Amino acid sequence: QVQLVESGGGLVQAGGSLRLSCAASGRTFSTYAMGWFRQAPGKEREFVAGILWSGDSTYYGNSVKGRFTISRDNAKNTVYLQMNTLKPEDTAVYYCAASRRLVVTRRGSDYDYWGQGTQVTVSS
């Protein structure tokens, strides 16, 4: 069982930056692929970024590529999402998720555990 708690969301102006954190409980965190997803009101959940258990490989959604960076610190059981050059269309609730799979996937249904989400609001 893994419990995930996101933090770091808030209100920021367009062009600004935020860093989200996701703290995980459980000794097996380092074996999970991790992902960040987001969901805006009235829209479907969207894959934002993913990282392998080792941290060696990262993956990004097209809308955030070049602006967001995912990383993890397995010693701290934490995964991060650095978000730069934020745009109003980045406004959403951001969720971190853990997957027992050995690869990162973009399908939310492939993830086994989810956090409660943190709100990110980007003003224009």
Side-chain angles (χ1 to χ4, degrees):
Q1 187 79 7
V2 175
Q3 291 186 325
L4 304 172
V5 179
E6 303 96 335
S7 61
L11 174 64
V12 64
Q13 288 189 330
S17 298
L18 281 175
R19 188 174 85 152
L20 304 184
S21 299
C22 174
S25 65
R27 292 176 293 176
T28 58
F29 170 78
S30 62
T31 66
Y32 286 80
M34 298 297 295
W36 285 97
F37 291 78
R38 68 186 182 186
Q39 188 165 21
K43 295 189 176 181
E44 292 188 353
R45 183 172 56 195
E46 176 187 12
F47 172 81
V48 175
I51 187 167
L52 282 179
W53 65 271
S54 61
D56 288 345
S57 296
T58 57
Y59 305 84
Y60 297 94
N62 289 336
S63 61
V64 306
K65 202 172 295 183
R67 299 187 297 122
F68 291 10
T69 302
I70 188 172
S71 61
R72 67 189 296 163
D73 185 338
N74 286 341
K76 295 183 178 179
N77 278 14
T78 303
V79 63
Y80 305 97
L81 184 68
Q82 178 66 45
M83 306 186 294
N84 298 329
T85 319
L86 283 160
K87 304 175 181 180
E89 51 264 43
D90 294 318
T91 296
V93 177
Y94 284 71
Y95 300 89
C96 73
S99 171
R100 288 190 288 258
R101 294 173 181 263
L102 297 179
V103 296
V104 171
T105 78
R106 298 168 184 263
R107 290 192 303 268
S109 58
D110 288 339
Y111 288 77
D112 304 288
Y113 303 101
W114 292 81
Q116 83 288 350
T118 186
Q119 176 71 47
V120 171
T121 303
V122 184
S123 63
S124 57

